[in-house]
Structures are given as C-alpha cells and as structure tokens.
Coordinates of all heavy atoms in Angstrom, one line a residue:
G917 N 11.1 -1.1 -10.1 CA 10.8 -2.5 -10.2 C 10.0 -3.0 -9.0 O 9.6 -2.2 -8.2
T918 N 9.8 -4.3 -8.9 CA 9.1 -4.8 -7.8 C 9.9 -5.1 -6.6 O 11.2 -5.1 -6.7 CB 8.3 -6.2 -8.2 OG1 9.3 -7.1 -8.7 CG2 7.4 -5.9 -9.3
V919 N 9.3 -5.3 -5.4 CA 10.0 -5.5 -4.2 C 9.4 -6.8 -3.5 O 8.3 -7.2 -3.8 CB 9.9 -4.3 -3.2 CG1 10.5 -3.1 -3.8 CG2 8.4 -4.0 -2.9
R920 N 10.2 -7.3 -2.6 CA 9.7 -8.6 -1.9 C 8.6 -8.2 -0.9 O 7.7 -9.0 -0.6 CB 10.8 -9.3 -1.3 CG 11.9 -9.8 -2.2 CD 12.7 -10.9 -1.6 NE 11.9 -12.1 -1.5 CZ 12.3 -13.2 -0.8 NH1 13.5 -13.2 -0.2 NH2 11.5 -14.2 -0.7
A921 N 8.7 -7.1 -0.3 CA 7.7 -6.7 0.8 C 7.6 -5.2 0.8 O 8.5 -4.4 0.5 CB 8.1 -7.3 2.1
V922 N 6.5 -4.8 1.3 CA 6.2 -3.3 1.7 C 5.8 -3.2 3.1 O 4.9 -4.0 3.5 CB 5.1 -2.7 0.7 CG1 4.8 -1.3 1.1 CG2 5.6 -2.8 -0.7
V923 N 6.4 -2.3 3.8 CA 5.9 -2.1 5.2 C 5.5 -0.6 5.3 O 6.0 0.2 4.6 CB 7.0 -2.5 6.3 CG1 7.4 -3.9 6.1 CG2 8.2 -1.5 6.1
S924 N 4.6 -0.4 6.3 CA 4.1 1.0 6.5 C 3.7 1.0 8.0 O 2.8 0.4 8.4 CB 3.0 1.4 5.6 OG 2.7 2.7 5.8
V925 N 4.5 1.8 8.8 CA 4.2 1.8 10.2 C 3.9 3.2 10.8 O 3.8 4.2 10.0 CB 5.4 1.2 11.0 CG1 5.7 -0.2 10.6 CG2 6.6 2.1 10.8
C926 N 3.5 3.3 12.0 CA 3.2 4.5 12.7 C 2.0 5.2 12.0 O 2.0 6.4 11.8 CB 4.4 5.5 12.8 SG 5.7 4.9 13.9
D927 N 0.9 4.4 11.7 CA -0.3 4.9 11.2 C -0.3 5.8 10.0 O -1.1 6.7 9.8 CB -1.2 5.5 12.3 CG -0.5 6.6 13.2 OD1 -0.4 7.7 12.7 OD2 0.0 6.2 14.3
S928 N 0.7 5.5 9.1 CA 0.8 6.3 7.9 C -0.5 6.2 7.0 O -0.9 7.2 6.4 CB 2.1 5.9 7.1 OG 3.2 6.2 7.7
V929 N -1.1 5.0 7.0 CA -2.2 4.8 6.1 C -3.4 5.6 6.6 O -4.3 5.9 5.8 CB -2.6 3.3 6.0 CG1 -1.4 2.5 5.4 CG2 -3.1 2.7 7.3
N930 N -3.4 6.0 7.9 CA -4.6 6.8 8.4 C -4.6 8.2 7.8 O -5.6 8.9 7.9 CB -4.5 6.9 9.9 CG -4.8 5.6 10.7 OD1 -3.9 4.9 11.1 ND2 -6.1 5.2 10.7
Y931 N -3.5 8.6 7.2 CA -3.5 9.9 6.6 C -4.3 9.9 5.2 O -4.6 10.9 4.7 CB -2.1 10.4 6.3 CG -1.4 11.1 7.5 CD1 -0.6 10.3 8.3 CD2 -1.7 12.4 7.8 CE1 0.0 10.9 9.4 CE2 -1.1 12.9 8.9 CZ -0.3 12.2 9.7 OH 0.3 12.8 10.9
M932 N -4.7 8.7 4.8 CA -5.6 8.6 3.7 C -7.0 8.8 4.2 O -7.7 7.8 4.6 CB -5.4 7.2 3.0 CG -4.0 6.9 2.5 SD -3.5 8.0 1.2 CE -2.4 9.0 2.1
T933 N -7.5 10.1 4.1 CA -8.8 10.3 4.7 C -9.9 10.0 3.9 O -11.1 10.0 4.3 CB -8.9 11.9 5.1 OG1 -8.6 12.6 3.9 CG2 -7.8 12.2 6.2
E934 N -9.6 9.7 2.6 CA -10.7 9.2 1.7 C -10.4 7.7 1.4 O -9.3 7.4 1.0 CB -10.7 10.0 0.3 CG -11.0 11.5 0.5 CD -12.5 11.7 1.0 OE1 -13.3 10.8 0.7 OE2 -12.7 12.7 1.6
P935 N -11.4 6.8 1.6 CA -11.2 5.4 1.3 C -10.7 5.1 -0.1 O -9.9 4.2 -0.3 CB -12.6 4.8 1.5 CG -13.2 5.7 2.5 CD -12.8 7.1 2.2
E936 N -11.1 6.0 -1.1 CA -10.7 5.7 -2.5 C -9.2 6.0 -2.6 O -8.5 5.3 -3.4 CB -11.4 6.7 -3.4 CG -12.9 6.5 -3.5 CD -13.7 6.9 -2.3 OE1 -13.1 7.7 -1.5 OE2 -14.9 6.6 -2.2
D937 N -8.6 6.9 -1.8 CA -7.2 7.1 -1.8 C -6.5 5.9 -1.2 O -5.4 5.6 -1.7 CB -6.8 8.4 -1.0 CG -7.2 9.7 -1.8 OD1 -7.4 9.6 -3.1 OD2 -7.3 10.8 -1.2
L938 N -7.0 5.4 -0.1 CA -6.3 4.3 0.5 C -6.4 3.1 -0.4 O -5.4 2.3 -0.5 CB -7.0 4.0 1.8 CG -6.3 2.8 2.7 CD1 -4.8 3.1 2.9 CD2 -7.0 2.7 4.0
R939 N -7.5 2.9 -1.1 CA -7.6 1.8 -2.1 C -6.6 1.9 -3.2 O -5.9 1.0 -3.6 CB -9.0 1.8 -2.7 CG -9.2 0.6 -3.7 CD -10.5 0.7 -4.4 NE -11.6 0.4 -3.5 CZ -12.5 1.3 -3.1 NH1 -12.4 2.6 -3.5 NH2 -13.5 1.0 -2.3
E940 N -6.3 3.2 -3.6 CA -5.3 3.4 -4.7 C -3.8 3.1 -4.1 O -3.0 2.5 -4.8 CB -5.3 4.8 -5.1 CG -4.3 5.2 -6.2 CD -4.4 4.4 -7.5 OE1 -5.4 3.7 -7.7 OE2 -3.4 4.5 -8.3
V941 N -3.6 3.4 -2.9 CA -2.3 3.0 -2.2 C -2.2 1.5 -2.2 O -1.1 1.0 -2.6 CB -2.2 3.6 -0.8 CG1 -1.0 3.0 0.0 CG2 -2.2 5.1 -0.8
F942 N -3.3 0.8 -1.8 CA -3.2 -0.6 -1.8 C -3.0 -1.2 -3.2 O -2.3 -2.2 -3.4 CB -4.5 -1.2 -1.2 CG -4.7 -1.0 0.3 CD1 -5.9 -1.1 0.9 CD2 -3.6 -0.5 1.1 CE1 -6.0 -1.0 2.3 CE2 -3.7 -0.4 2.4 CZ -5.0 -0.6 3.0
R943 N -3.7 -0.6 -4.2 CA -3.5 -1.1 -5.5 C -2.1 -0.9 -6.0 O -1.5 -1.9 -6.7 CB -4.4 -0.3 -6.5 CG -4.5 -0.8 -7.9 CD -5.1 0.1 -8.9 NE -4.4 1.3 -9.1 CZ -3.3 1.4 -9.9 NH1 -3.0 0.3 -10.6 NH2 -2.7 2.5 -10.1
L944 N -1.5 0.2 -5.7 CA 0.0 0.4 -6.1 C 0.9 -0.6 -5.4 O 1.8 -1.0 -6.0 CB 0.4 1.8 -5.8 CG -0.2 2.9 -6.7 CD1 0.0 4.3 -6.1 CD2 0.3 2.8 -8.1
V945 N 0.6 -0.8 -4.1 CA 1.4 -1.8 -3.3 C 1.4 -3.2 -4.1 O 2.4 -3.8 -4.3 CB 0.9 -1.9 -1.9 CG1 1.5 -3.1 -1.2 CG2 1.3 -0.7 -1.1
N946 N 0.1 -3.6 -4.4 CA 0.0 -4.9 -5.1 C 0.8 -4.9 -6.4 O 1.4 -5.9 -6.7 CB -1.5 -5.2 -5.3 CG -1.7 -6.6 -5.8 OD1 -1.4 -7.6 -5.2 ND2 -2.3 -6.6 -7.1
N947 N 0.7 -3.8 -7.1 CA 1.4 -3.6 -8.4 C 2.9 -3.8 -8.3 O 3.5 -4.4 -9.1 CB 1.1 -2.3 -9.0 CG 1.6 -2.2 -10.4 OD1 1.3 -2.9 -11.3 ND2 2.5 -1.2 -10.6
Y948 N 3.5 -3.2 -7.1 CA 4.9 -3.3 -7.0 C 5.5 -4.4 -6.2 O 6.7 -4.4 -5.9 CB 5.4 -1.9 -6.5 CG 5.4 -0.8 -7.5 CD1 4.4 0.2 -7.4 CD2 6.3 -0.8 -8.6 CE1 4.3 1.2 -8.4 CE2 6.2 0.2 -9.5 CZ 5.3 1.2 -9.4 OH 5.2 2.2 -10.4
L949 N 4.6 -5.3 -5.7 CA 5.1 -6.5 -5.0 C 5.5 -7.6 -5.9 O 4.8 -7.8 -6.9 CB 4.0 -7.0 -4.0 CG 3.8 -6.2 -2.7 CD1 2.6 -6.7 -2.0 CD2 5.1 -6.4 -1.8
D950 N 6.6 -8.3 -5.6 CA 6.9 -9.6 -6.2 C 5.7 -10.5 -6.2 O 4.9 -10.4 -5.2 CB 8.1 -10.2 -5.6 CG 9.4 -9.5 -5.9 OD1 9.4 -8.7 -6.8 OD2 10.4 -9.8 -5.2
P951 N 5.6 -11.5 -7.1 CA 4.5 -12.5 -6.9 C 4.6 -13.1 -5.5 O 5.7 -13.6 -5.1 CB 4.9 -13.5 -8.0 CG 5.5 -12.6 -9.1 CD 6.3 -11.6 -8.3
G952 N 3.5 -13.1 -4.8 CA 3.5 -13.7 -3.4 C 4.1 -12.8 -2.4 O 4.3 -13.2 -1.2
G953 N 4.4 -11.5 -2.8 CA 5.0 -10.6 -1.8 C 4.1 -10.2 -0.7 O 2.9 -10.4 -0.9
I954 N 4.7 -9.6 0.3 CA 3.9 -9.4 1.5 C 3.8 -7.9 1.8 O 4.8 -7.1 1.7 CB 4.5 -10.1 2.8 CG1 4.3 -11.6 2.6 CG2 3.9 -9.6 4.0 CD1 2.9 -12.1 2.5
F955 N 2.6 -7.4 2.2 CA 2.4 -6.0 2.7 C 2.0 -6.1 4.1 O 1.0 -6.7 4.5 CB 1.3 -5.4 1.8 CG 0.9 -4.0 2.2 CD1 1.9 -3.1 2.7 CD2 -0.4 -3.5 2.0 CE1 1.5 -1.8 3.0 CE2 -0.7 -2.2 2.4 CZ 0.3 -1.3 2.8
L956 N 2.9 -5.4 4.9 CA 2.6 -5.4 6.4 C 2.5 -3.9 6.8 O 3.4 -3.1 6.5 CB 3.8 -6.1 7.1 CG 3.7 -6.2 8.6 CD1 4.5 -7.4 9.1 CD2 4.2 -5.0 9.4

C-alpha cells in the first residue's frame, strides 16, 4: 500500500548510475506515497 513518507540516506540514490534508472526509482516513490506524501 502507500506510505506517508519515503526516506533514503547515505547516498543510496547515487548507485543509480543511469539517469533513467533513477527516474524510475522516483516514479515508484511517487506511486507509493500517500497524497501529499514526502520524499526525503
């Protein structure tokens, strides 16, 4: 289901070496956030 917030620390997103992969991560985050939810 959805969550109120998503956090990702210690440069985990830098492991996405292809921008298209990072965009997909961001798309999934948006998909699983509650309306108005926060991604930090």
Side-chain angles (χ1 to χ4, degrees):
T918 57
V919 298
R920 297 202 69 190
V922 177
V923 301
S924 185
V925 298
C926 291
D927 48 83
S928 292
V929 301
N930 289 101
Y931 278 98
M932 300 296 103
T933 56
E934 296 295 333
E936 293 77 12
D937 286 342
L938 186 53
R939 181 185 293 109
E940 178 61 14
V941 172
F942 289 167
R943 187 192 69 80
L944 288 170
V945 166
N946 188 64
N947 184 61
Y948 285 110
L949 279 172
D950 288 345
I954 293 299
F955 180 31
L956 185 153

